[in-house]
Amino acid sequence: MENELQSYFDLFMEQFPDLNLEAKNFTLSFLILEKYDKKEFLFESGEVQKEIGYVCQGLLRKYYVNENGSKITTGFIRENWYATDYPSFLRQTPSKYFIECLEPSIIIKMPYEKLQEAYRNHKDSEMYGRLMAEKVLTRETDRVESFLFENAEERYLNFIAQNKDIINRISLSHLASYLGIERQSLSRIRNKIAKN
């Protein structure tokens, strides 16, 4: 188990080759590795997200529940991505989202307070915080812009092109929800593309 822990931590730290040794050691001191079962939640709506997650293995879904009780998927979080409602995490306010494991998952968690301490005491850590924020915010912005500038078929084709590694790991219902269409509409789009 100890070797497994170390291999996940080493893989995570490879993202930040420029961290000095002191900052790297401090970061390693507060990382938490947790295993989650399929359908288990990293966090739920109404909770304050105390840790940001980094997915070492597995696949998660971020969603909210609308006024009709429907679960609306807003993202899929795969290996080497951050699992977070980032604005909620930064503000330490209750989230409106659920993050649920679609598969058994292994996640490195970084507590909010320890990250803030790292930023205060290790200037190199600020760069890694910025890189983390850029990855999360770019992903969120891409999804919003897909609704502004693409039709449903374009959103589907772009999703397929950018997510070949997870397309067979998610249900059509979750994908349709993510694309903002009914499942029947997704089936029509897939049939049309298959004929062409």
Side-chain angles (χ1 to χ4, degrees):
M1 180 65 176
E2 193 63 36
N3 287 343
E4 181 186 21
L5 279 174
Q6 193 57 51
S7 66
Y8 286 123
F9 290 156
D10 290 344
L11 190 63
F12 173 76
M13 294 305 294
E14 283 176 12
Q15 301 175 89
F16 315 108
D18 298 328
L19 269 186
N20 67 42
L21 187 59
E22 185 182 357
K24 181 177 181 179
N25 287 338
F26 180 73
T27 302
L28 284 168
S29 76
F30 65 73
L31 297 179
I32 303 161
L33 187 80
E34 290 196 10
K35 294 184 177 183
Y36 289 83
D37 293 326
K38 182 177 180 177
K39 296 190 176 183
E40 197 171 351
F41 290 94
L42 183 62
F43 65 87
E44 299 184 48
S45 176
E47 293 180 4
V48 175
Q49 185 187 359
K50 300 288 189 189
E51 300 109 359
I52 193 167
Y54 176 82
V55 182
C56 298
Q57 183 179 312
L59 182 66
L60 299 89
R61 171 175 75 124
K62 182 178 176 182
Y63 70 89
Y64 67 93
V65 179
N66 69 12
E67 63 278 0
N68 299 323
S70 298
K71 296 176 181 177
I72 309 299
T73 301
T74 62
F76 299 101
I77 307 159
R78 62 159 77 80
E79 291 88 357
N80 305 314
W81 281 19
Y82 292 96
T84 182
D85 171 6
Y86 202 61
S88 170
F89 177 73
L90 288 179
R91 297 179 189 127
Q92 286 295 281
T93 55
S95 176
K96 296 178 177 71
Y97 296 92
F98 295 83
I99 294 188
E100 177 187 25
C101 296
L102 297 177
E103 302 172 348
S105 299
I106 298 173
I107 298 171
I108 288 177
K109 294 164 66 171
M110 297 161 280
Y112 174 82
E113 295 298 339
K114 289 294 186 181
L115 275 176
Q116 298 309 309
E117 186 179 340
Y119 299 158
R120 281 192 306 272
N121 298 330
H122 304 281
K123 290 300 174 194
D124 286 357
S125 295
E126 288 182 334
M127 177 190 68
Y128 121 69
R130 178 180 57 80
L131 292 172
M132 188 167 43
E134 287 174 359
K135 285 183 179 182
V136 171
L137 295 175
T138 299
R139 191 174 73 218
E140 300 287 333
T141 301
D142 287 347
R143 179 168 189 267
V144 170
E145 288 187 349
S146 74
F147 280 93
L148 295 174
F149 303 115
E150 299 168 358
N151 63 37
E153 184 174 330
E154 291 168 332
R155 286 197 301 278
Y156 172 72
L157 289 171
N158 286 334
F159 183 87
I160 297 297
Q162 296 165 12
N163 297 281
K164 289 183 176 72
D165 57 331
I166 66 165
I167 194 64
N168 293 322
R169 297 163 63 188
I170 57 178
S171 73
L172 289 181
S173 296
H174 291 162
L175 179 55
S177 172
Y178 176 79
L179 296 172
I181 57 178
E182 296 295 325
R183 183 170 169 167
Q184 299 90 319
S185 300
L186 177 56
S187 295
R188 281 194 294 274
I189 289 169
R190 287 162 53 91
N191 289 337
K192 177 184 170 189
I193 292 167
K195 287 176 184 171
N196 294 338

